[in-house]
Amino acid sequence: MAKIVVVTSGKGGVGKTTTSASFATGLAMRGHKTVVIDFDVGLRNLDLIMNCERRVVYDLINVIKEEATLKQALIKDKRCDNLFILPASQTRDKDTLTMEGVQRVLNELAHDFDMIVCDSPAGIERGALMALYFADEAIVVTNPEVSSVRDSDRILGILQSKSLRAETGEEPIKEHLLLTRYDPTRVSTGQMLSVEDVQEILAIPLLGVIPESKTVLHASNEGVPVIWNAESAAGAAYSDAVARFLGEQIEHRFITEKKGFFKRMFGGGSK
């Protein structure tokens, strides 16, 4: 049976779609047949990051409304045989998402895939609630700033009260924290919350820390999930996060400030 993973947050612009693209790609690279679904109906950005926007003919809403089959709507990734994308509609309203339709699509996908990654829109509107309702696990993406963390805390409340698992009394959704755009130098000068600060507020296990990196923006603009750039810090951090999700014990990197030669010589920088 497929595992359903929602990538969510309370605040926009924290890197959910970037995370969904790299996380799904990382799972597929490790041999898990994976589909990533864009639930951001009306906007649709996942196809841009996955570089398949010109190949979109049918979308999630077409499948829900039975205007197309899943086989017609699914787009196979050009780089990885195990990865497929189900895009959102740019022209429909979020109200076209129905509980019955989403459940039918997920049940059908579960027959063919090991992992189903749901890229949620920000906030707690209909698309976001639909994306998380059927989830088995959740990756809560947040930036190290107070407003982002506060909104993520709100999402944790939704996960624990408005999911199918919560309603039926099953084992709760397994929650993971992914901290993005992290800069240890800014943490050391008090401009940014530390990993420990965020963990203390949210109190969920840390899956990964993605460092602030221009590589992420360049990769998104090129339509290549940053995890493919294994030499970049961000790509390596996403790869580590995927490995941890799959049960590997990997030490966290990119959470302490790198010391240059003069800082090491004269004791400068963060401790």
Side-chain angles (χ1 to χ4, degrees), residues 65-136:
K65 294 180 74 67
E66 299 185 340
E67 298 165 349
T69 65
L70 261 179
K71 188 169 287 188
Q72 288 176 296
L74 286 171
I75 300 172
K76 187 175 182 180
D77 187 76
K78 291 180 178 179
R79 306 174 197 85
C80 189
D81 288 339
N82 284 326
L83 182 60
F84 291 77
I85 301 97
L86 181 55
S89 171
Q90 273 187 312
T91 58
R92 306 290 184 98
D93 189 87
K94 288 180 172 65
D95 289 339
T96 52
L97 284 170
T98 64
M99 195 73 76
E100 297 77 14
V102 170
Q103 185 172 28
R104 178 171 49 80
V105 169
L106 292 175
N107 286 344
E108 192 173 341
L109 289 169
H111 291 298
D112 294 321
F113 290 90
D114 304 316
M115 298 284 186
I116 301 171
V117 178
C118 301
D119 179 25
S120 171
I124 54 175
E125 45 75 41
R126 187 174 183 82
L129 294 176
M130 289 286 183
L132 66 81
Y133 185 75
F134 297 100
D136 300 309

Side-chain angles (χ1 to χ4, degrees), residues 10 30 40 43 93 101 108 119 121 129 163 179 181 192 211:
R30 287 172 170 266
D40 203 354
L43 291 177
D93 189 87
E108 192 173 341
D119 179 25
L129 294 176
S163 66
L179 195 54
R181 303 194 67 178
M192 186 176 279

